[in-house]
Amino acid sequence: MLAVRRRPAETRYRGLFPDWTGVRPVRWFFAEELLEARRGSAFPTNAAGPDEDVNIYLIHLLAGFLEGRTDPRVQPGAWPLLLPPDPAWPGRAQAEHYRVNGDHRLLMLGLMDRGDGLRRRREPWGVDPARVRERDLAAGATCYRLAANLAAGCRTTPPGLQDVLRRLGDGFEDYVHVLTALATRRLGLGARLSDGDLARLLLVP
């Protein structure tokens, strides 16, 4: 169980039943849960080479998602690739355009099992769900690869970010699997009630 409290600087939490450690940054919670999810998943940490830095990136990404951060640069479907940023933009701005769209698809596919949080339906009318998921996975991976390529030419790119983006692009489906394991096994997202649970709910006055 988790109690979340918002503060101006950072979202923090206090564990329940009981927890004597006090209030901690919510990033700590996601660090513990992500590492446990990866340990029990088909893609544990360092399975395809050192990727602890990717874990740190994912922890900050999850904390930002919990705080409800939205980015106006996020576009639905394949639009980030079909409508690329203006070539006149600085390289860092172009890289950020693709990075935030890759981030959005990674979170949506991993936590919510949908390609993006902008379209009204999980799959458009008349389109095979498997084809839509394949397209969304390809769009997310391509966004990260483009972001990595553009970041490589920017002197202002934070150290190590290009390598993280490259690994996310090359192993995009594996990292979606990691977030799915986190969502279903650690966070309880996507849980379904059994027929017995539904029957008991209907009997509650």
Side-chain angles (χ1 to χ4, degrees), residues 146-184:
L146 289 169
N149 291 341
L150 289 163
C154 300
R155 289 177 294 179
T156 57
T157 299
L161 179 59
Q162 178 197 351
D163 292 336
V164 169
L165 297 174
R166 179 74 62 195
R167 277 195 285 275
L168 286 169
D170 292 343
F172 187 75
E173 192 164 1
D174 291 324
Y175 289 108
V176 167
H177 163 74
V178 166
L179 291 188
T180 299
L182 171 69
T184 56

Side-chain angles (χ1 to χ4, degrees), residues 44-66:
T45 300
N46 299 330
D51 69 344
E52 290 95 342
D53 50 353
V54 177
N55 284 342
I56 299 300
Y57 185 89
L58 294 177
I59 289 163
H60 285 275
L61 195 60
L62 289 162
F65 180 71
L66 181 67

